[in-house]
Amino acid sequence: MPKILIIGDGQLARMLHTEAIELGLSLRVLANSPTESAAAICGDVILGDYHDEATVKAAATGVDVITFEHEHVPAHIIDNLIRDGYNVQPHGDALIHAQDKLVMRRALRNAGAPVPPFAPIDSTDDARAFWEAMDGAVCLKARTGGYDGKGVWFPDSLDELEQLVAEQLDHNTPLMAEKKVHLNRELSALIARSPRGEVRCWDIAETNQDGGVCRWAQAPAANVDAEKIETFATGIAETLDVTGVLAVELFDTDEGIFVNELAMRPHNTGHWTQNGATTSQFEQHLRAVANLPLGSTDMTCAHAVMANILGGDTTWDHDLGERIATVWRSYPDAKIHLYGKQHRPGRKLGHINLTGSDPIAVRADALAAAHYIAHGHWPA
Amino acid sequence: MPKILIIGDGQLARMLHTEAIELGLSLRVLANSPTESAAAICGDVILGDYHDEATVKAAATGVDVITFEHEHVPAHIIDNLIRDGYNVQPHGDALIHAQDKLVMRRALRNAGAPVPPFAPIDSTDDARAFWEAMDGAVCLKARTGGYDGKGVWFPDSLDELEQLVAEQLDHNTPLMAEKKVHLNRELSALIARSPRGEVRCWDIAETNQDGGVCRWAQAPAANVDAEKIETFATGIAETLDVTGVLAVELFDTDEGIFVNELAMRPHNTGHWTQNGATTSQFEQHLRAVANLPLGSTDMTCAHAVMANILGGDTTWDHDLGERIATVWRSYPDAKIHLYGKQHRPGRKLGHINLTGSDPIAVRADALAAAHYIAHGHWPA
Ligand SMILES: Nc1ncnc2c1ncn2[C@@H]1O[C@H](COP(=O)(O)OP(=O)(O)OP(=O)(O)O)[C@@H](O)[C@H]1O
Ligand SMILES: Nc1ncnc2c1ncn2[C@@H]1O[C@H](COP(=O)(O)OP(=O)(O)OP(=O)(O)O)[C@@H](O)[C@H]1O
Ligand SMILES: [Mg+2]
Ligand SMILES: [Mg+2]
């Protein structure tokens, strides 16, 4: 069975690992610290910094496939790995579109995908010009390295924008700006593609972000032209030659659907597939990067909801077991996934999956269960 | 979250471990060898012999619950652990009924459960008397330590029986005999019970054994009085005060249903629950022994089949990846579970779960897929 190196030690690597164990695949994790989410539960852990080429190469020795749980490995390291004959999935020419939001938007626009107006921001002059062109509806983004809303700003005034831009450029953060659009809702198209070109799409999910952090995702999204979105997401995967799981984050607006961004790995908005689809995004990512045939993405239930467990103000160290017992007394079918992370307010510590026949009820229940585990009391 | 010690290092411990990781539970494994199925993938492995009381106690230090993946821990060690205040689930007074087939049958008979006629066999004289009483329809069994048909004999003649009995008594194997019944089919009632007395039953499965080794299990079994069997299995769990998963193996005969034996742990005939029920037997066993509320045992599909992957005549070391690719090309939804074990002819190396709407087709497909992975060619 192929040996797969995952670069990254967070919850995505952890959940890839549990699927790998069941499949009998051999998984190695390149981790920053032995106590991180995936490192703590994986037998084959290499400790080291993924910014260091020698470290990555050492970790990659003897594996059949290298893949990622995040976009932050420097592009030149990936390019050098590929040049030296390593099997990297997705490869660097694809991954660059998940690494650099400006490169991504240019490629999407070239491919005919609808994206909000955007511009590179290399100076406060650029910022001012874009602010004026957009009538002050501006979202500033770090081109690289952002996640969970870190690296996304919504300045309320031109002054604030200019100050932000000056500050970030000072820190050598490459920047872009795009039109701040009015979101009716957000959607996520999740697909998988293997090197031989096989593609499978899951049901489109409606997703909810608060402060840039995902709160919940629900499948199937109501009132979407699923076929159109799938065709379109498949087109992106094929144009960019993506392998593994691709998440296409979408904005649903009065002007239609826009693409927000791409992630080339299992994605928070796809966690519902663990308990709501025949093949989870984690199993599928492993199958895809190993160039094995893909599994069915059919839902196994009418409605599936994932609600994130975000750290509350106080730690749960003393009563997590009781919180879980309480939640299971009310929702015995709540599928609790915990990441083994240290508590920190706002941190993603786990998620709840719940399935059912009533889309409204199942979402309310999943959110209540996740809230209880995070806070130790039911939502008001 | 509770820390749970599993005594045993096989596939049942391995599959408990993957559920534990997702739940954020902390699992320790007492293993014979670091390369065994569960030991190879668990971070917290204590190496040692479960026949040694000091070893078991050392492994149990600091854990909240001790549980088992097999019945072979000597009863006096379990009793001493409980006397010394360790939390053992199921406790020794229950477990003894899964450890000693004679004690089990006596308890079942006392509880009014239908069991085939049986007798202790302490001499060749006992054997001869039982042979005559049963008109030669005799099944000889080792009272303790058997599994997968090891320790079960069907002698064709009185001579053969007497020779077997002499041999086994010579090896100090305690023996019993029971009537060899004519099986129309075998069934398995799988239930879980927690210390606080909560009970959940899964759908009854039809099961198939060949040479004492389970080949497949299918849920729901057709034409069964499920309610009656569930009441009856629940009664056994309550009478014996079983905690965790209890499998009640049943014989379906022209004279009605007989109980064959009890297993107090996740059971091969319950593997279908991983991909066919809201809560798998592995998650449920962890919840039950930790005295947490139990999850729904509802099926998530119309029909679920589990087919064992039993080692073929030749090793798969050189082409396992190709075998899996071939199977997934034909059955992309086959859920492949592999145990990471060294190949040995006839050994349980993994299983396939498949779900679907046509019970005949889904069984044929699961068996074909398991056969291909085991042998590298489709069944004739
Ligand atoms: N142009 C925009 N107009 C309005 N809202 C936006 C815009 N861009 C981003 N947002 C909001 O901010 C959230 C985070 O933005 P984005 O996905 O770009 O950031 P991120 O930090 O890369 O997130 P992720 O964790 O998904 O990688 C979006 O989900 C959306 O709710
Ligand atoms: N009295 C009997 N009459 C007919 N067949 C029997 C009888 N007892 C056992 N068998 C057959 O042998 C198989 C194995 O028997 P049993 O379950 O007692 O053995 P085991 O080795 O303990 O199995 P397990 O692996 O389930 O623990 C049964 O599933 C059944 O097919
Ligand atoms: Mg995003
Ligand atoms: Mg048996």
Side-chain angles (χ1 to χ4, degrees):
Chain A
M1 292 294 284
K3 187 170 191 76
I4 300 177
L5 169 68
I6 311 284
I7 300 183
D9 55 17
Q11 66 265 28
L12 301 179
R14 182 183 176 105
M15 293 184 277
L16 283 164
H17 186 55
T18 58
E19 295 279 8
I21 293 174
E22 286 297 324
L23 287 172
L25 287 171
S26 175
L27 212 69
R28 175 178 293 169
V29 160
L30 175 58
N32 256 314
S33 137
T35 58
E36 283 304 318
S37 186
I41 53 88
C42 184
D44 187 0
V45 178
I46 309 276
L47 291 177
D49 182 354
Y50 59 77
H51 297 93
D52 179 62
E53 183 166 334
T55 301
V56 177
K57 279 199 173 151
T61 303
V63 311
D64 301 295
V65 187
I66 304 166
T67 188
F68 313 91
E69 67 142 16
H70 59 66
E71 295 83 19
H72 308 318
V73 180
H76 72 270
I77 295 185
I78 294 173
D79 290 344
N80 289 346
L81 283 168
I82 292 171
R83 190 202 54 209
D84 294 349
Y86 292 89
N87 177 16
V88 184
Q89 303 294 341
H91 59 72
D93 292 345
L95 196 64
I96 188 66
H97 300 95
Q99 295 186 306
D100 185 322
K101 293 187 181 200
L102 183 62
V103 174
M104 178 200 301
R105 274 159 185 73
R106 284 178 171 147
L108 288 168
R109 190 175 54 190
N110 290 344
V115 287
F118 66 90
I121 302 291
D122 298 323
S123 65
T124 50
D125 284 353
D126 289 352
R128 195 172 327 110
F130 192 73
W131 177 272
E132 279 156 14
M134 293 300 121
D135 248 345
V138 170
C139 173
L140 180 72
K141 294 188 174 183
R143 284 172 53 185
T144 59
Y147 69 98
D148 288 351
K150 290 175 186 61
V152 175
W153 302 274
F154 298 97
D156 285 323
S157 65
L158 178 56
D159 266 10
E160 193 185 332
L161 173 64
E162 286 183 332
Q163 210 178 309
L164 267 169
V165 166
E167 236 171 69
Q168 292 300 324
L169 290 178
D170 228 44
H171 289 106
N172 294 317
T173 312
L175 295 172
M176 57 153 291
E178 65 184 6
K179 184 175 180 186
K180 181 175 149 193
V181 299
H182 179 77
L183 307 175
N184 293 328
R185 58 176 178 171
E186 296 185 63
L187 300 170
S188 171
L190 192 75
I191 79 173
R193 182 168 175 272
S194 68
R196 69 164 57 83
E198 197 186 356
V199 173
R200 299 271 187 154
C201 310
W202 283 271
D203 280 72
I204 310 297
E206 179 175 348
T207 75
N208 180 273
Q209 274 69 229
D210 187 2
V213 181
C214 179
R215 300 283 149 158
W216 54 261
Q218 174 153 12
N223 305 319
V224 288
D225 187 342
E227 213 173 313
K228 188 178 141 195
I229 295 177
E230 279 171 22
T231 305
F232 164 85
T234 303
I236 292 174
E238 283 168 352
T239 305
L240 303 183
D241 196 15
V242 179
T243 51
V245 167
L246 168 71
V248 183
E249 299 180 10
L250 301 165
F251 293 151
D252 193 359
T253 76
D254 286 345
E255 287 78 50
I257 301 269
F258 291 99
V259 178
N260 174 27
E261 58 165 358
L262 310 178
M264 296 179 194
R265 51 167 171 81
H267 193 254
N268 198 163
T269 61
H271 292 352
W272 65 268
T273 60
Q274 290 177 306
N275 302 102
T278 300
T279 308
S280 80
Q281 64 169 346
F282 301 102
E283 177 180 344
Q284 198 82 302
H285 187 76
L286 295 171
R287 289 164 72 151
V289 300
N291 207 11
L292 289 163
L294 303 184
S296 151
T297 49
D298 289 349
M299 290 189 69
T300 54
C301 55
H303 297 277
V305 173
M306 182 286 315
N308 271 337
I309 298 170
L310 302 171
D313 290 336
T314 54
T315 174
W316 63 23
D317 280 1
H318 58 298
D319 70 343
L320 178 55
E322 285 160 46
R323 292 185 189 190
I324 287 173
T326 301
V327 163
W328 270 340
R329 268 192 295 276
S330 293
Y331 306 108
D333 300 349
K335 296 288 127 184
I336 299 177
H337 299 266
L338 293 176
Y339 308 152
K341 287 190 191 173
Q342 284 298 310
H343 175 277
R344 223 169 38 219
R347 194 178 198 199
K348 287 180 182 169
L349 300 175
H351 66 274
I352 300 264
N353 284 336
L354 205 61
T355 61
S357 54
D358 176 346
I360 307 292
V362 75
R363 184 155 90 220
D365 291 349
L367 285 168
H371 185 282
Y372 194 97
I373 294 201
H375 300 281
H377 57 82
W378 297 110
Chain B
M1 290 294 284
K3 188 169 189 77
I4 300 177
L5 169 68
I6 311 285
I7 301 183
D9 55 17
Q11 65 266 28
L12 302 179
R14 181 183 178 106
M15 293 183 279
L16 284 164
H17 187 55
T18 57
E19 295 279 8
I21 294 174
E22 287 298 324
L23 288 172
L25 288 172
S26 173
L27 212 70
R28 175 178 293 169
V29 159
L30 175 58
N32 256 313
S33 137
T35 56
E36 282 305 316
S37 185
I41 54 86
C42 184
D44 187 1
V45 178
I46 308 276
L47 291 178
D49 183 354
Y50 58 77
H51 297 92
D52 179 62
E53 185 168 333
T55 302
V56 177
K57 279 199 174 153
T61 303
V63 309
D64 301 294
V65 187
I66 304 166
T67 188
F68 313 91
E69 67 141 18
H70 59 64
E71 296 83 19
H72 307 320
V73 180
H76 72 272
I77 295 186
I78 295 174
D79 291 343
N80 289 346
L81 283 167
I82 292 171
R83 192 201 53 208
D84 294 349
Y86 291 89
N87 177 14
V88 184
Q89 304 293 342
H91 59 71
D93 293 346
L95 196 64
I96 188 68
H97 300 95
Q99 294 186 307
D100 184 322
K101 293 186 181 200
L102 183 61
V103 174
M104 178 202 301
R105 273 161 187 73
R106 284 181 171 144
L108 288 168
R109 190 175 53 190
N110 290 344
V115 287
F118 66 90
I121 302 292
D122 297 324
S123 66
T124 49
D125 284 353
D126 289 352
R128 196 174 324 110
F130 192 75
W131 177 272
E132 277 157 15
M134 294 300 122
D135 248 347
V138 170
C139 173
L140 180 72
K141 294 187 174 183
R143 284 171 52 184
T144 60
Y147 68 97
D148 288 353
K150 288 174 187 64
V152 175
W153 301 273
F154 298 96
D156 285 324
S157 64
L158 178 56
D159 266 10
E160 195 184 332
L161 173 63
E162 286 183 332
Q163 209 178 311
L164 268 169
V165 167
E167 236 171 71
Q168 292 301 323
L169 290 178
D170 226 44
H171 289 108
N172 293 317
T173 312
L175 294 173
M176 56 152 294
E178 66 185 5
K179 185 175 178 184
K180 180 175 149 192
V181 298
H182 178 77
L183 308 175
N184 293 327
R185 59 177 178 171
E186 295 185 65
L187 300 170
S188 171
L190 193 75
I191 79 173
R193 182 169 175 272
S194 68
R196 69 166 54 86
E198 197 186 356
V199 172
R200 299 271 187 154
C201 309
W202 284 270
D203 281 72
I204 310 297
E206 179 175 347
T207 76
N208 181 274
Q209 274 68 231
D210 187 2
V213 181
C214 178
R215 300 284 148 157
W216 54 262
Q218 173 153 11
N223 305 319
V224 286
D225 187 343
E227 215 174 309
K228 189 178 141 194
I229 294 176
E230 278 171 21
T231 305
F232 166 85
T234 302
I236 292 174
E238 284 168 352
T239 305
L240 303 183
D241 196 16
V242 179
T243 52
V245 167
L246 167 72
V248 183
E249 299 179 10
L250 302 164
F251 293 150
D252 194 1
T253 75
D254 286 345
E255 287 79 49
I257 301 269
F258 291 98
V259 179
N260 174 29
E261 59 166 355
L262 309 177
M264 296 180 194
R265 50 165 172 82
H267 193 254
N268 198 162
T269 61
H271 291 353
W272 66 269
T273 59
Q274 291 177 307
N275 303 100
T278 300
T279 308
S280 80
Q281 64 168 347
F282 300 103
E283 177 180 345
Q284 198 83 301
H285 187 76
L286 295 171
R287 289 164 72 152
V289 300
N291 207 11
L292 289 163
L294 303 183
S296 150
T297 49
D298 289 349
M299 291 188 68
T300 54
C301 55
H303 297 277
V305 173
M306 182 287 313
N308 272 335
I309 298 170
L310 302 170
D313 290 336
T314 53
T315 174
W316 62 23
D317 281 0
H318 59 298
D319 70 344
L320 178 56
E322 285 161 46
R323 292 185 190 190
I324 286 173
T326 301
V327 162
W328 271 339
R329 269 192 294 276
S330 292
Y331 305 108
D333 300 349
K335 296 289 127 185
I336 299 176
H337 299 266
L338 294 176
Y339 309 151
K341 287 189 191 174
Q342 285 299 311
H343 176 278
R344 220 165 43 216
R347 195 179 196 198
K348 287 179 182 168
L349 300 174
H351 66 272
I352 300 264
N353 284 337
L354 206 61
T355 61
S357 54
D358 176 345
I360 306 293
V362 76
R363 183 154 91 219
D365 290 350
L367 285 168
H371 185 281
Y372 194 97
I373 294 200
H375 300 280
H377 57 82
W378 297 109

